[in-house]
Amino acid sequence: MPKRIITLLLLFFVTGVATAQKKIPTPAEVLGFAPGEDRKLASWDQVVDYFQKLDAASDRVVFETLGNTTRGKPFVMATISSPANLARLEEFRKIQDQLADPRKLGPLATRDRKAAELIRQGKTIVLITCGIHSTEVGSYLSSTLIAHRLASSTDADVQKILDNTIVLLVPSLNPDGVDIVKNWYDKTLGTPFEGTDPPELYHKYTGHDNNRDWYAFTQVETQLTVDKIHNVWHPQIVHDIHQQGSFGSRLFLPPYMAPVEPNVPKALVQGYTELGNWMAAEMRNKGFEGITTNSTYDAWSPARAYSHYHAGVRMLSETASARIASPLTLKFEELRSREGYDPQKESPKFGPLWRGGEWHLGDITKYMTTAAFLLLDHAATNREQWLRRFYAVGKEAVRPRRAGELFGFLIEPSVNTEALLDILKRGGVEMSSAKQGNSFRVGTNELPNNTMLVRLDQPYGAFAKALLEVQRYPNLRDADGHPIAPYDVTAHTLPLLMNVTVHPVKAPFRNLRGTPTKLGPSEKYVETSARFQSMPAFYHSSVPNQDEGWTKWIFDSKKISYGELGDKELRAGISVYKPSAGVTVKYYTIIIPDQPARTLLEGYRSGAMPPELTGGLGAQGVKTLRDFVETGGTLIFLNRASNFAIEQFKLPLRNAVAGLPRTDFYVPGSILRIQLDTSHPLAAGMPEETIAWAEDSPVFEVTNDPEATVPASNVHVVASYAADKDPLLSGWLLGGDLIKGKAALVEVTMGKGRVILFGFRPQYRAQSLATYPLFFNSLGSR
Ligand SMILES: [Zn+2]
């Protein structure tokens, strides 16, 4: 018998009444503690158990499993509304579908009238997502409190929310991390390490980067959320509940600070500005302190905001953190400025002052649940306004393009075109090929068969445009003239990241104009384990490293096997490469993922974590790695890790941009242009010009340092920034002249082996397919 029926029967016998609605379990009854209590975390099983019991007891809640997480746990969602609305879900979904795509409303002349009728009938769809960052424990706990109140309250304001909205509640976007964090927290409870972050990525592959996947769609959790929630329901409001550091504001709410990515519809900017400012004002009226708006978080990257390109506002909230579930005490003088405000001073972007004191998990859940119910109140009270705005965004999106306006993009077939088109398709973008027997043309040139046209006059044309065009990040400076750091990175041009030739097309679409985004042809590249002499090994840092995680995801998705060597093994000086002595060779190649040189060398500081986790590679680890190379191994250093190799191996190289102030040189996640020596095996199959994903990246200059362990002639420059071209292709770069003519990828022979230094991220977040061959060539047999 299904569990749900058993529970219902049980309730029937216990209470003796036919309606189960009266016995709504509280989170405390199921979890054994009230969410928000100090030092208490729930496991994922407990959370699922709570929602199952809520579903069984309440006619306002439908709970379902949408799929499995990376580690095989249930990925779940609760749909919450009035029983009358829940009985008509399919009807409301159809209303959303038509308002999202006004072409479905029939002839132009009658669309507005039909839309007005649907707007009158429809509900505001609100998606609430919790817990994508698993150390930010307040939100998955708050999800049970939010659900319980919605399921049980007889208050008029809750009834209004239930009648006017459909709430899609995701208790965690990363269920795997719930248990990773809880296990570590419980293990260290009562020790000097209570409240520290776990020493492993809380998402198997992406760690904290899991909310930077909203256009690449690489992870199953992202795919489930997009395929089964966003694309089904097209929510008007997405409330994404996060936590920030402990020392700034108590709460951030939108509007976002500049810049806003230019393809985010103005109506959505107005929407999140109005809603965020109203929520902040209401929170202040209720006596909440330390609230900031229009600061810290920008709206630039589609990587963090799927809804901004799909007619919904993203309402990020960021509440100050405690030490996981343990309280902390803060002095007012300890509070620190973030971008746009000073928590020690009232300003239009911050107030009223929070005077410091104790900060508990219970404060976090109180801020979160209050903000969530205010958001729901606004969504319910202004239901028709939210639906009108939603329809207006769709209407503007599908409007025929006027002469001279951008009409669309033509995408040529090539090695990675399918990967690019898959992204657009998942984001709801329609595309077409030329009519049978015809082909698209650029001037007098015919484009290849299977060239695809993506028109912009479609519901999610802005998503395509944002990803297909080049970014020109504004040169933002603070009052002192210092560059204002972007919240994340500054570029997301897929044709460059994936080396796909794309032509912008103007209306009317007769012939093509403008400059194509074009790098040059590259060969089909097939990676298999068989290609390598032996399995490569990852250096596994004791300090969790996202670049390591992303790279392992790439390997796993291509079914390439790999090994792993930690600090302990490398410090012990194990013999990893001795083929001549007849010893079984385990690894010929070790990958050192992107990590600061100091973290590699020192790891966690002594006393910061249990002793077995501290100390990094240390001098012994350096010696092991040097021996490994000198006896014939290959060491691959990615991005910042290259600085470690230069310093510790005393290579005849210097990082030409080390220590430069941001006013002189700054590249916070941008796509640059490099030239390759295609005669070198590392650049085999590559075009002469390609990209480099630069992000706090070193830039190499060969030196004649007499102290160096090898002569300068041992350095082979494989890639460099052109002496006579602007290095910037997309994003933001300050001081580009300083790197012209300098090296971006070098191979240094050392003894019988070699060291390969990437001055960029060739496999950046599993997106820079254009430079995968450089990375895989470095693993290949020599
Ligand atoms: Zn977060």
Side-chain angles (χ1 to χ4, degrees), residues 132-134 136 202 208 211-212 241-244 316-318 487:
I132 193 162
H133 293 149
S134 308
E136 304 166 10
Y202 51 62
H208 192 83
N211 77 326
R212 273 80 165 158
I241 309 181
H242 284 247
Q243 283 173 223
Q244 55 183 347
L316 170 71
S317 75
E318 295 269 2
Y487 184 70

Side-chain angles (χ1 to χ4, degrees), residues 661-727:
R662 284 181 176 180
T663 38
D664 291 355
F665 182 78
Y666 192 40
V667 58
S670 307
I671 302 172
L672 305 187
R673 180 204 320 263
I674 53 173
Q675 294 184 330
L676 294 170
D677 172 2
T678 50
S679 69
H680 193 279
L682 278 180
M686 289 290 290
E688 282 177 2
E689 190 174 287
T690 189
I691 61 151
W693 178 269
E695 189 178 351
D696 300 324
S697 297
V699 176
F700 310 121
E701 213 171 13
V702 183
T703 66
N704 283 308
D705 184 356
E707 310 258 288
T709 47
V710 298
S713 56
N714 281 25
V715 179
H716 193 110
V717 174
V718 183
S720 54
Y721 296 102
D724 54 352
K725 282 181 184 168
D726 181 358

Side-chain angles (χ1 to χ4, degrees), residues 28 91 94 177 207 252 353 370 381 395 457 474-475 500 557 618 640 646 667 691 775:
E91 224 176 290
K94 278 191 182 137
F252 162 86
L353 295 180
T370 305
T381 307
K395 196 174 148 181
D457 55 352
N475 190 4
V500 174
S557 67
R640 293 170 301 173
I646 295 173
V667 58
I691 61 151
F775 177 57

Side-chain angles (χ1 to χ4, degrees), residues 603-624:
Y604 286 117
R605 303 291 179 129
S606 167
M609 286 294 254
E612 66 272 18
L613 293 169
T614 61
L617 281 163
Q620 275 307 314
V622 172
K623 185 179 178 304
T624 305

